[in-house]
Amino acid sequence: MCLESPKLNYRDGYYYMTSAQGGTAGPATSHMVVAARSKSPLGPWENSPYNPIVHTYSSRDNWWSKGHGTLIDDINGNWWIVYHAYAKGYHTLGRQTLIEPIEWTTDGWYRTKTTATPIRSDKQIKHGIELSDDFSEASLGLQWTFWKEYAPKSLTLDNGTLWIKAKGSTPANGRLLLTTAEDKNYETQVEINTGNGNTAGLILFYNEKAYAGVVSDGKKFIVYQNTNKQLELPNELGKRFIAKIHNQGNNLRIMVSKDSKEWITLAEKVDVSQMHHNNYHGFYALRIGLLSAGKGAAGFKQFRYKNAIPREKDMSAYLMVFHKDETHGLYMAISRDGYTFTALNDAEPVIAGDTIACQRGIRDPHIYRGPDGAFYLAMTDLHVFAKRDGYRETEWERDGKMYGWGNNRGLVLMKSWDLVNWKRANIRFNKLTAGLSEIGCAWAPEVTYNEKQGKLMIYYTMRFRNEANKLYYVYVNDDFDTIESLPQILFEYPNEDVSAIDGDITKVGDKYHLFYVAHDGTAGIKQAVSNRVNRDYEYDPRWYDFEPKACEAPTVWKRIGEDKWVLMYDVYSVTPHNFGFIETSDFVNFKNLGRFNEGVMKTTNYSAPKHGAVIHLTAEEADKLEKYWQKNKRKFVPMTSVEVAQNNRNGE
């Protein structure tokens, strides 16, 4: 349906018509590119056997509603198709432009291919355009556009200030200058000077029926959470203030400041995820807007836009997650120097395992900051003392003789933007497909990002019944609540009778370093290296840990601002349990740092941690997390048998 936008190319005696079909928005799989050819531009036309040329086949794809293609060739003779699509889950960013390589088939048609020869250039090509603006030029930058008008005479650029003459009274009818955001996680801010009788602000604007942000007349702030929901607050900053919006995955934090140093949060968790074409039509993006309404004019200075995902240069703290056998809950600890760690919540669990796991306990927590800046937490759904603690009537879920020690079938996945508020999903591998009904375990999940696939990847330990354990991987959606592929082998030990468990991947340069536990005699840590994140890891027989007895759960983290990496592992063969540490700059030579509180690595208020992981935090993130748990301390109180039974009946 809806055949539209034909383009013609002539090649080897044929006219090739490239058209759009199926509607350019709506469901994920609606849109496509189709091709036909003819000896004459007047037809008759023959449809391509390779149709659709471009199409979103599944809602699991990274790009939705792919279509509206244009065929081009480059100076090197390569062919490409340029088209638009929506990023999955981010219709608010509007339709974005993509390019794929094209090949010509032996039967005279074209189709997409997976590899391409890049266009060679002596110049570094930068994606997008610079959105930040000091308003220091004589004319407005190309990033700006008006809304439903062209009114250049309403603007005055004066010594670094953009003055915008007002009109209307609200964001729906006021004067707007708009620019299109490029990132899933971004910050934007601007200094605002409101004139007499003027209302001005910084908003995110889709159309007259969909917007959010903050405006002020100098006396009060009006915070728009959506068009029909607003909050009025006193403005103690006056007519001059700085407004900032942090958009984290379609959730806004709206702030104001007098000096860009101390910020006042006016609103958090403002959901703008539904402000897009499928709800409001128009094919727009949710754009950043400078608003001037009422009378007179508003002045704007130092407009700033940046990708808000912190880099290593922004980091100044470390967050460790771990579990303890006593509670089977999740613990967190903070370090400012990477050597001394202090547990939050007075060393009590920050999340009780019996409230989130099917087996009423979690193990093996791993935390990862994704490419969107969000935090991803993956844990084993397993309680090894569930019978003792009254959560289960049997030692294991299933017969231990048939399925082995600690047999389980599930993981707990959680996603957060602030490390306090979490969205949870419980995954059962035996429900993915009948072929996984006989797995013996699903342990020690970790998360990474496959850059080539553009997808989050969970890799974990799995076995079938009582066979040897191997390392597998699956892909998971950005919402972190749905497994999107069947398990594939990541790594298996060269001796098929030996288990390989507890994998941890670290990318350094163009190499992926996989540390894992080999049960080849006394359990210990080995390393395998690959050029690819999900396969081709080369076996290395060397033992890398410094422990005389068994250890497990390797995890690698980098020291901030240094070319040093720490390999941390769980020394479960000592009493009490402890973590061991070694340090390297080249992944060949390692220095033994000893165990917690037996060398340079210290804990201040906890002992016997199990299976940990460490990530970097900014100072602001660490401060907020510490302050939250100082104000919201809570002790772990196990569920009663009545509560467990009730939750089981409710399927929670």
Side-chain angles (χ1 to χ4, degrees), residues 20-240:
Q21 184 176 320
T24 57
T29 57
S30 59
H31 204 20
M32 66 188 75
V33 176
V34 294
R37 72 181 181 186
S38 174
K39 291 287 187 178
S40 166
L42 302 179
W45 295 91
E46 174 189 7
N47 285 323
S48 171
Y50 300 99
N51 284 340
I53 306 300
V54 172
H55 182 51
T56 301
Y57 286 95
S58 168
S59 60
R60 293 181 175 183
D61 289 355
N62 293 337
W63 294 96
W64 286 13
S65 301
K66 296 193 292 189
H68 255 90
T70 300
L71 207 62
I72 61 168
D73 59 342
D74 65 30
I75 58 173
N76 299 317
N78 301 304
W79 284 82
W80 308 82
I81 190 165
V82 182
Y83 60 91
H84 63 60
Y86 289 99
K88 177 183 177 181
Y90 287 88
H91 277 66
T92 52
L93 290 175
R95 294 180 293 186
Q96 301 181 53
T97 305
L98 289 82
I99 189 169
E100 281 193 53
I102 286 290
E103 65 179 359
W104 291 92
T105 64
T106 56
D107 55 351
W109 293 99
Y110 66 86
R111 63 185 178 186
T112 58
K113 61 178 183 176
T114 57
T115 58
T117 303
I119 299 173
R120 293 185 292 274
S121 174
D122 295 332
K123 297 181 179 180
Q124 183 70 28
I125 300 174
K126 182 182 178 182
H127 167 73
I129 63 174
E130 179 63 49
L131 298 185
S132 295
D133 199 338
D134 289 329
F135 304 119
S136 58
E137 302 295 327
S139 59
L140 201 63
L142 290 175
Q143 68 268 48
W144 297 105
T145 184
F146 288 97
W147 172 250
K148 292 189 175 180
E149 66 175 350
Y150 179 61
K153 292 183 179 180
S154 68
L155 307 180
T156 302
L157 287 157
D158 180 22
N159 195 28
T161 301
L162 171 66
W163 292 95
I164 304 177
K165 291 182 180 179
K167 76 167 188 176
S169 58
T170 70
N173 58 21
R175 175 155 284 130
L176 286 163
L177 272 185
L178 304 174
T179 188
T180 303
E182 299 176 344
D183 301 286
K184 298 176 180 179
N185 186 342
Y186 65 85
E187 281 187 0
T188 183
Q189 71 179 63
V190 68
E191 180 184 319
I192 301 172
N193 289 270
T194 60
N196 293 328
N198 179 259
T199 297
L202 177 67
I203 64 172
L204 300 189
F205 185 87
Y206 185 81
N207 64 15
E208 295 91 342
K209 297 180 179 180
Y211 51 81
V214 58
V215 304
S216 180
D217 59 1
K219 298 178 181 178
K220 64 179 180 296
F221 288 114
I222 300 177
V223 179
Y224 291 95
Q225 299 186 25
N226 57 44
T227 310
N228 300 316
K229 184 178 181 181
Q230 59 193 63
L231 175 68
E232 288 192 10
L233 298 167
N235 178 356
E236 298 179 356
L237 302 180
K239 289 182 172 293
R240 177 200 165 277

Side-chain angles (χ1 to χ4, degrees), residues 450-488:
N450 187 324
E451 297 174 357
K452 186 174 182 179
Q453 294 291 330
K455 285 186 175 293
L456 291 167
M457 188 178 106
I458 296 175
Y459 54 102
Y460 64 104
T461 302
M462 189 169 74
R463 68 170 182 267
F464 287 86
R465 290 203 174 186
N466 250 325
E467 298 175 359
N469 297 284
K470 301 175 183 178
L471 299 178
Y472 291 79
Y473 73 91
V474 293
Y475 293 113
V476 61
N477 65 336
D478 288 349
D479 287 335
F480 213 51
D481 59 9
T482 303
I483 301 299
E484 295 191 333
S485 68
L486 292 177
Q488 301 292 321

Side-chain angles (χ1 to χ4, degrees), residues 371-417:
D372 56 359
F375 299 98
Y376 295 86
L377 187 62
M379 296 166 282
T380 305
D381 190 326
L382 173 64
H383 200 307
V384 300
F385 303 122
K387 182 179 180 181
R388 181 199 69 184
D389 293 346
Y391 295 113
R392 189 166 54 230
E393 293 181 356
T394 58
E395 183 182 13
W396 306 118
E397 273 192 331
R398 296 166 293 169
D399 185 355
K401 294 180 180 179
M402 183 177 295
Y403 295 99
W405 184 94
N407 61 77
N408 77 317
R409 290 166 284 187
L411 305 177
V412 181
L413 306 182
M414 302 180 76
K415 179 177 180 178
S416 174
W417 291 97

